[in-house]
Amino acid sequence: MTVYWMVWDAAAHWVVDRLDAQGLLPSVRRLRESGVRAAARPPSPNCQTPPSLATLFTGTGPHEHGVTGFAVPAPEAGPGLSVSGFGPVLRRPAVWETAGAAGFRSTSVHAPWITDTRDDDGGVPGWIDGAVEAYSRRRARPGVHAVGPGRTVLEVAGHALDVDPVAGGVRVRGGRAATVVTDSWVPLALEARDGPDAPAALWLRLATVEGRKVLLHSGVWAPRTVGHDASVLRALRQAPTFSGDGLGPYYRDGRLGRRLVDGGDGSAEEVFLSSVDRVTAGFAGAVDQVLPRHRSDLVVMYLPSTDDVGHDLIGWCDERSGAFRPDVAPALWPHVARCYRRADELLGRVLRRAGPDDTVLLCADHGVAGTPWTVRPAQLLVDAGLSVSGPAGQIDLERSDCYYHPVNNGSVWVRPQAAPGVLQRVAEALAPQRVPGTGRPLVREVRPSADGRRADLLLDPDCLPVAGLAGDGQALHPSVKPGAHVTNGGDDRLHAVFAATGPGLAPGDDLGVIDNTWPAALVLGQLRASRPRATASQP
């Protein structure tokens, strides 16, 4: 028996429900009808991706697993300092570690943390058949570049790319590799600089933006593959070139053309969605390599592209948010559906691979809500006299009674030498602040820690917190990112999708709202109801 665990990043329960009701997700419908379903409550106070995935994979909350955001404050190293939330910081074992200790073997496609797991001798544990992960090994972010009439040279991840116009497109050369780029995404291999097991490559495409040709490229990543099943390892290394995120920042700033919400004609959305499709295709390619070859008890698959459309499109379609745009939502929703349908097709391939004694889970780490406003808590604290700005416009941590932590996880930290009562003053200063046009409190709750050294701000879901001070001295601004998930004060739009089928799971059963610590327990329970495979993977 195998447990197949698929995770769609930011797949909100309300979004999946709407698409399912429209008949657009046949694989989700099949999974829900053959097993159980629920809305899954993400962690609080912060539900950014790292703490939410850590909660999902360990079955514990942030106070136990220790991941509190994309970056985790490190007060022992100094005020305002941090470490990566995707680094080796988990304080609790992930499901695959617990399963491995019980004799169950795992294969993983781009789930974080698993490739950092070590046995007592510092080596790759014997229960990892195969695991690939690239997020911790980014070498360059995506880019958009104007194409001129002559030769140009681009610098990407330390590689010089020669770009020469040719009939119908451009020729791009990087080292010994070259390709002709037109209006479809094509890969270009780069010289490996992280060893033979971590080849680097990127995807390229030409697009016409308001009459001008631009060259688009994906980010550059160096995937790492570890494990003991040579067949699975070879297959993972033959997967399509990894692309970890779409062109969302360039879509937001207009470099793909005017967005529909800004009066565009839909071409910017088409280019953006093509980059998101490229992400999905890369992940699907890795999953397709694993499905026919693995001999594992647990297969974990992580797909990030649903998060891309969550941040850049779904907020405009969220009727409960001030970001809602009824004038363009009908035109934007099909783009959301396009991304989710690609993910649904991949789920369908997993369902077809699974046997009658296997278990298949679909989970998300969190949902998403519309965010028409950005708020700078640091500015609010300066305005209240609780933080002090320095001469360069930054927060002077040594002179401030407290400060909004630059990791932007919603936390306010108290200077050790400050007088008592600082957090009470924070609560009093923030209480009058309101979400524009609503009358709702901007900060729903100021939640002090047990030791009184910090407090977590639970913001209204319409507000996206941003670190640092504003150049104009204003704390509130209209947001260019219409959807987000940072602090979690209980809004159900942040609930994640959950569905599972397998032995002992009643067909069609709606579990209502569960905590997102529960799927880990279900995975372990389904494994323990079976027996570890008797034959070990062979190299």
Side-chain angles (χ1 to χ4, degrees):
M1 191 273 278
T2 296
V3 175
Y4 295 95
W5 193 2
M6 177 166 281
V7 178
W8 292 354
D9 198 321
H13 183 263
W14 70 271
V15 173
V16 173
D17 258 4
R18 183 184 297 183
L19 292 167
D20 183 18
Q22 295 170 345
L24 299 176
L25 303 178
S27 300
V28 168
R29 175 69 60 85
R30 175 185 167 191
L31 182 62
R32 285 176 157 184
E33 290 179 346
S34 62
V36 299
R37 58 182 290 181
R41 187 171 44 243
S44 181
N46 181 289
C47 64
Q48 291 174 310
T49 295
S52 297
L53 284 176
T55 293
L56 193 62
F57 289 145
T58 67
T60 64
H63 62 290
E64 294 182 68
H65 59 62
V67 182
T68 56
F70 274 102
V72 178
E76 66 282 355
L81 299 181
S82 63
V83 296
S84 171
F86 279 132
V89 294
L90 286 179
R91 298 175 187 166
R92 294 291 182 270
V95 162
W96 42 80
E97 295 176 75
T98 304
F104 296 97
R105 304 198 316 278
S106 293
T107 293
S108 171
V109 177
H110 292 296
W113 299 298
I114 187 169
T115 58
D116 291 322
T117 308
R118 293 291 179 267
D119 60 21
D120 292 340
D121 296 323
V124 176
W127 47 262
I128 298 181
D129 283 348
V132 61
E133 188 273 329
Y135 279 101
S136 64
R137 296 159 69 88
R138 186 202 293 268
R139 301 298 180 254
R141 294 186 179 276
V144 176
H145 306 275
V147 175
R151 174 178 176 269
T152 59
V153 179
L154 304 178
E155 183 79 11
V156 180
H159 298 268
L161 303 184
D162 290 300
V163 182
D164 292 291
V166 296
V170 295
R171 178 181 296 277
V172 180
R173 181 179 299 276
R176 291 182 297 236
T179 187
V180 173
V181 184
T182 59
D183 60 355
S184 298
W185 289 96
V186 293
L188 177 69
L190 302 173
E191 180 184 351
R193 295 180 177 175
D194 292 272
D197 293 339
L202 78 169
W203 290 89
L204 299 158
R205 182 197 159 173
L206 271 184
T208 302
V209 175
E210 298 176 352
R212 296 174 292 106
K213 291 290 186 181
V214 296
L215 179 65
L216 317 172
H217 72 77
S218 70
V220 178
W221 316 73
R224 181 178 179 222
T225 308
V226 301
H228 298 279
D229 188 323
S231 174
V232 171
L233 293 180
R234 282 194 301 269
L236 285 172
R237 289 167 183 155
Q238 294 167 2
T241 297
F242 180 84
S243 178
D245 47 25
L247 295 170
Y250 303 104
Y251 170 68
R252 271 172 250 142
D253 70 12
R255 276 187 274 181
L256 304 184
R258 284 192 297 169
R259 302 178 298 178
L260 279 166
V261 295
D262 300 320
D265 60 5
S267 58
E269 283 74 21
E270 182 59 34
V271 174
F272 168 54
L273 260 294
S274 79
S275 72
V276 176
D277 287 344
R278 185 62 262 154
V279 174
T280 304
F283 278 78
V287 171
D288 287 341
Q289 293 283 31
V290 163
L291 288 179
R293 296 175 177 86
H294 82 87
R295 291 173 287 176
S296 298
D297 304 286
L298 173 64
V299 178
V300 183
M301 299 154 284
Y302 170 67
L303 182 69
S305 47
T306 40
D307 189 60
D308 283 300
V309 299
H311 286 301
D312 285 295
L313 299 181
I314 285 177
W316 309 123
C317 304
D318 179 3
E319 293 96 335
R320 291 170 55 188
S321 169
F324 180 51
R325 286 286 300 271
D327 55 330
V328 295
L332 288 168
W333 189 250
H335 293 293
V336 174
R338 168 174 158 178
C339 175
Y340 273 79
R341 290 188 71 172
R342 299 286 193 276
D344 187 76
E345 290 166 3
L346 183 56
L347 174 63
R349 299 207 281 277
V350 174
L351 287 170
R352 288 190 292 274
R353 171 65 173 84
D357 295 327
D358 294 334
T359 296
V360 178
L361 294 91
L362 172 65
C363 297
D365 46 353
H366 51 73
V368 66
T371 49
W373 301 100
T374 60
V375 58
R376 294 183 180 269
Q379 188 68 55
L380 295 174
L381 296 178
V382 168
D383 294 344
L386 292 160
S387 291
V388 177
S389 60
Q394 82 284 5
I395 298 298
D396 187 330
L397 303 182
E398 299 300 328
R399 296 170 57 210
S400 299
D401 287 338
C402 64
Y403 61 92
Y404 183 70
H405 204 290
V407 299
N408 194 38
N409 67 350
S411 62
V412 173
W413 288 70
V414 177
R415 184 168 60 91
Q417 297 81 10
V422 171
L423 294 181
Q424 179 61 35
R425 292 165 57 201
V426 170
E428 292 170 353
L430 298 180
Q433 303 294 330
R434 292 291 182 267
V435 179
T438 69
R440 300 194 306 265
L442 189 151
V443 179
R444 288 187 170 186
E445 181 184 352
V446 177
R447 184 182 295 173
S449 63
D451 60 10
R453 295 176 58 194
R454 62 172 177 80
D456 294 302
L457 308 181
L458 302 184
L459 278 69
D460 184 277
D462 265 21
C463 296
L464 171 63
V466 178
L469 298 174
D472 60 3
Q474 300 298 309
L476 278 167
H477 294 88
S479 176
V480 296
K481 182 185 284 190
H485 51 90
V486 181
T487 66
N488 176 17
D491 192 284
D492 61 10
R493 286 169 294 171
L494 297 175
H495 287 172
V497 68
F498 170 84
T501 185
L505 301 176
D509 194 5
D510 189 338
L511 304 179
V513 178
I514 62 171
D515 193 84
N516 229 7
T517 56
W518 187 70
L522 176 62
V523 168
L524 291 173
Q526 295 296 96
L527 286 173
R528 288 165 179 158
S530 66
R531 298 176 60 186
R533 294 175 186 266
T535 57
S537 297
Q538 298 299 315

